[in-house]
Amino acid sequence: MFSAILFALVPHVSAYAVLDQWLAAVAAEQPLITPSPTFQDGVTRTVLLRRDILDDIKGDVKGILSDLGSAIPSYVASGVPNFFQDFPMGKKAQESLGISDEQVDALPTSVLNIPGYGNWTDRGWNLRFHGNVYKQPPTSEEKLNDLSNIFLIDTEIEQLKPDEQVQARNLTASIFVLQQSNETVTFNLRPAPTAGASGEQGGGGAVTPNGGNQEVRFPYPTTTQGDFDAFVQIESDGLADGNQTNDIQRLNVYTQGSNIGNATAYLVPPTGFTIISDIDDILRVTKIYQPKEGLLNSFARPFAAWKNMPEIYANWSRSIPDFHFHYLTTTPEQITRNYMDFIYKTYPGGSFDTRPLNFSDVSATLSIRKFLLDKIFQTYPERKFILMADTSNSDVMKGYPQMAKDFPGQVQCIFLRNTSATDPGDRFPYDTSGFKELDRSTYMFFNVPDDLKGLDIQNGQCGNTTILQDVTFSWQGLPFGLSKDSAGSRSSIATIWMGVLVTGLAAFFL
């Protein structure tokens, strides 16, 4: 009904007036919208838009939705690059589960240990330990079903296949955990014989060292959100010195007192090549730009590789010596076990970055990718980086070309899947203006994994001459048949804004 009213009103509204109202709304502070009173467990049903809403439109839609008095969470209109936001933590999660302080005290402690990377310094190896300490409350299937339905769109968990119901409940359980502050974490390091699935012995991406056995006590207590993240100097104890080897050395990291807090870490020498790869819609099928499909693909359905990308990565692992794989997703860390399990079963082994809990609001989410990129670039100032993602990622479209400007000479290649060219479900434009000052030979927009075959990345061949590169250094993939030239006028811009607003609101209410 709302969509019919909206479409009826559009012809009678001055495009100029609407545009002026929208531009004025950009600067307005958007308060959090009161949660729906229909669910009393402290969380609200997820209502979603895609992650690549134009920056200008973010403020516009927020202002209009606020005027409508909608119960849509404020993050929806901000173009946040994730489905999941505003996860309950601490007391809020405890209240959602209906458990007492005494019951919490009796629970065992668990650790999410994220695969880290280490660098060589004049003092030896420094290894990054990062993750989260939490308690997992026992929750009935009925309760998990109720909580799972919060995150589903136009369906209920009972309508899913049995295996999808199990995955949805498991993922929901990982969201409703109780983070533990002021905890001390201790790790045991051991040589890792294998990690990853490149088809090579050991899984690719590294070698098994001759030593490295040791105990490491993390020097800082966990944060109020239960997080820990710092580089810690470790003993050599049979490890090859970073200035004497080009090998990436692989270590298993076991958390004392927790049988699920294990990960694999990678000691990466100062020089060589590192690929920093996004995951959603580049390594796996997510369709993050189609909210219902994207949420089901993330929440309930088994993760599936995007076409033959595993073949591309396996070939790079075999053909590029000592190639370091680093997987970076801005998905909140509570739900990244599925991501890590999928990567290690499908792609070469490598280190990981996720969004920690102290980056939980909208503004922090939009900056976390750049923060994590800066961290790894600064850790390895002599390494060359290959950056991989897709055009549906607004923070990537800004962040990747900015890395080439901020760290001259370190970005070897940028590869971006053009999702709007190959998936009719992605109907939103993307901004290529950040690439204007870059050497065109250093980046490529591609359509399918086979476009990446045969490239000599080591020697700087980043382009496939058979793939047309129609880069306008402006908004591309504009809706409603508008060209980049016609989009320059004020009336056309207003039409674009109106069209995208209609499309966005229709996604909410149709």
Side-chain angles (χ1 to χ4, degrees):
M1 181 180 70
F2 179 88
S3 59
I5 296 172
L6 178 63
F7 281 102
L9 287 175
V10 167
H12 303 287
V13 178
S14 164
Y16 299 136
V18 171
L19 177 60
D20 289 339
Q21 292 173 7
W22 287 347
L23 293 176
V26 173
E29 183 73 19
Q30 172 63 22
L32 291 175
I33 299 173
T34 303
S36 169
T38 58
F39 188 83
Q40 301 297 327
D41 277 346
V43 288
T44 57
R45 177 176 284 276
T46 304
V47 186
L48 304 166
L49 269 184
R50 70 180 306 270
R51 62 180 176 181
D52 188 28
I53 301 301
L54 309 180
D55 285 346
D56 292 329
I57 295 174
K58 291 189 295 187
D60 305 335
V61 177
K62 281 169 43 173
I64 292 170
L65 293 179
S66 178
D67 292 341
L68 291 173
S70 168
I72 298 169
S74 62
Y75 64 79
V76 169
S78 69
V80 173
N82 289 300
F83 291 123
F84 303 109
Q85 290 286 342
D86 297 341
F87 282 168
M89 292 189 294
K91 282 292 183 182
K92 187 176 179 181
Q94 184 177 337
E95 292 168 1
S96 298
L97 297 169
I99 58 177
S100 67
D101 291 342
E102 290 74 18
Q103 289 173 304
V104 173
D105 291 340
L107 293 173
T109 298
S110 298
V111 176
L112 172 64
N113 192 358
I114 300 172
Y117 53 82
N119 67 319
W120 177 258
T121 72
D122 55 3
R123 295 184 178 181
W125 285 109
N126 281 344
L127 179 58
R128 183 182 174 206
F129 297 87
H130 60 134
N132 187 266
V133 178
Y134 64 94
K135 291 188 174 185
Q136 179 72 68
T139 310
S140 69
E141 182 174 305
E142 180 182 5
K143 184 66 172 179
L144 286 175
N145 286 347
D146 290 340
L147 295 172
S148 295
N149 285 331
I150 298 168
F151 301 104
L152 297 174
I153 299 175
D154 295 335
T155 190
E156 303 289 333
I157 190 170
E158 292 79 9
Q159 298 172 283
L160 301 177
K161 297 176 183 178
D163 59 330
E164 294 175 346
Q165 292 185 30
V166 171
Q167 180 164 316
R169 281 190 287 268
N170 288 341
L171 190 60
T172 300
S174 70
I175 293 170
F176 288 87
V177 297
L178 308 175
Q179 290 79 21
Q180 301 298 298
S181 64
N182 203 36
E183 292 285 339
T184 300
V185 190
T186 302
F187 305 96
N188 292 323
L189 305 186
R190 300 288 184 268
T194 183
S198 69
E200 301 171 89
Q201 183 178 2
V207 301
T208 304
N210 293 323
N213 295 282
Q214 59 194 281
E215 178 182 287
V216 179
R217 183 182 177 88
F218 194 76
Y220 312 106
T222 56
T223 67
T224 55
Q225 295 91 4
D227 283 336
F228 58 92
D229 189 347
F231 283 89
V232 180
Q233 186 175 347
I234 63 173
E235 299 174 3
S236 292
D237 191 30
L239 297 170
D241 290 351
N243 58 357
Q244 299 295 321
T245 183
N246 293 320
D247 290 337
I248 299 169
Q249 300 172 83
R250 183 175 50 225
L251 292 171
N252 281 333
V253 183
Y254 301 99
T255 308
Q256 290 187 6
S258 175
N259 59 3
I260 62 172
N262 305 326
T264 304
Y266 294 80
L267 303 180
V268 183
T271 60
F273 293 93
T274 292
I275 183 169
I276 301 178
S277 181
D278 192 17
I279 297 175
D280 288 309
D281 290 313
I282 187 68
L283 299 188
R284 80 176 189 96
V285 176
T286 309
K287 294 183 180 290
I288 213 164
Y289 34 79
Q290 293 179 281
K292 181 178 178 179
E293 282 297 296
L295 191 55
L296 286 173
N297 288 333
S298 297
F299 197 76
R301 294 170 181 158
F303 283 16
W306 178 58
K307 296 185 180 295
N308 59 322
M309 278 300 278
E311 176 190 344
I312 301 298
Y313 275 46
N315 179 61
W316 285 346
S317 179
R318 290 189 295 267
S319 62
I320 301 176
D322 309 307
F323 198 29
H324 171 215
F325 290 84
H326 183 70
Y327 303 98
L328 192 160
T329 174
T330 53
T331 300
E333 65 186 8
Q334 302 105 302
I335 61 173
T336 52
R337 285 195 194 277
N338 281 359
Y339 279 77
M340 292 186 285
D341 181 66
F342 166 74
I343 290 295
Y344 274 71
K345 289 179 179 178
T346 317
Y347 290 94
S351 50
F352 255 84
D353 261 318
T354 65
R355 172 158 42 104
L357 294 187
N358 58 357
F359 282 84
S360 57
D361 62 26
V362 168
S363 61
T365 298
L366 294 174
S367 65
I368 181 58
R369 188 182 301 273
K370 186 63 165 61
F371 171 83
L372 295 172
L373 286 170
D374 285 345
K375 181 189 288 284
I376 192 169
F377 268 69
Q378 292 164 1
T379 301
Y380 303 107
E382 298 178 65
R383 290 188 74 83
K384 302 282 189 178
F385 291 88
I386 293 90
L387 305 180
M388 176 76 71
D390 66 278
T391 56
S392 72
N393 232 319
S394 58
D395 53 343
V396 159
M397 296 302 292
K398 291 180 180 178
Y400 275 11
Q402 191 61 46
M403 296 307 293
K405 299 170 187 176
D406 292 347
F407 297 89
Q410 279 193 261
V411 175
Q412 183 83 345
C413 295
I414 299 176
F415 296 121
L416 292 163
R417 175 199 170 192
N418 187 348
T419 51
S420 62
T422 56
D423 192 334
D426 185 5
R427 296 172 296 192
F428 284 78
Y430 55 94
D431 184 9
T432 58
S433 59
F435 292 83
K436 187 172 185 178
E437 299 174 13
L438 302 190
D439 183 338
R440 287 203 179 204
S441 67
T442 61
Y443 61 86
M444 179 175 70
F445 292 83
F446 69 98
N447 299 320
V448 294
D450 283 349
D451 296 342
L452 300 168
K453 286 185 174 180
L455 299 180
D456 186 0
I457 295 175
Q458 288 177 270
N459 291 311
Q461 183 193 1
C462 307
N464 183 333
T465 57
T466 67
I467 308 303
L468 178 65
Q469 299 294 294
D470 183 21
V471 183
T472 64
F473 308 116
S474 60
W475 291 110
Q476 297 191 223
L478 295 173
F480 317 113
L482 291 169
S483 69
K484 60 182 181 295
D485 297 322
S486 66
S489 67
R490 190 169 188 245
S491 60
S492 295
I493 292 172
T495 303
I496 293 169
W497 287 169
M498 175 63 77
V500 176
L501 174 65
V502 170
T503 305
L505 291 178
F508 285 128
F509 295 102
L510 282 177

